[in-house]
Amino acid sequence: MTAVGFLTVDLQIPGSSSLKSKRKVVSSLTARLRQRFNVAVAEVDFQDKWQRCRIGVCAVSNDARHVDSQLRKTLDAIEAMGQAVILDFDIEIL
């Protein structure tokens, strides 16, 4: 059975002083997540805020536990990168 997981993460980017500097951080973050975890990543909200971002991460597998594990590792990696502060997150497995 196919399992699809979706992670939504609200981030604060404290060092950002413009949309350009925010985009640099978000682009770097999303590219690293795609490469490291083989997930789909996109900025889904707060595109016009300088220090706020919401990203969506999607993973697909044949095992729901694997999807959950992959999304939690992705969340840990976001925190470990130190480019942004996690304000809130939500994981949904379908």
Side-chain angles (χ1 to χ4, degrees):
M1 180 171 192
T2 302
V4 178
F6 190 71
L7 167 66
T8 306
V9 186
D10 286 347
L11 300 171
Q12 179 184 15
I13 306 167
S16 177
S17 59
S18 68
L19 286 176
K20 186 175 181 179
S21 63
K22 173 193 166 186
R23 298 277 180 259
K24 184 176 179 182
V25 170
V26 173
S27 292
S28 170
L29 182 77
T30 58
R32 289 167 71 183
L33 293 176
R34 281 186 196 105
Q35 183 180 19
R36 185 170 173 194
F37 296 102
N38 194 26
V39 292
V41 185
E43 183 179 3
V44 296
D45 203 0
F46 304 117
Q47 285 91 349
D48 58 342
K49 305 285 185 192
W50 290 6
Q51 294 188 340
R52 187 83 191 269
C53 175
R54 178 175 292 153
I55 61 170
V57 181
C58 184
V60 179
S61 178
N62 62 347
D63 182 12
R65 289 177 299 177
H66 179 260
V67 169
D68 184 61
S69 171
Q70 190 173 23
L71 293 177
R72 291 191 184 278
K73 287 177 184 176
T74 302
L75 187 64
D76 292 342
I78 293 170
E79 188 172 25
M81 286 179 204
Q83 295 178 317
V85 177
I86 297 173
L87 299 175
D88 192 21
F89 72 94
D90 182 50
I91 296 178
E92 185 176 346
I93 308 291
L94 305 175

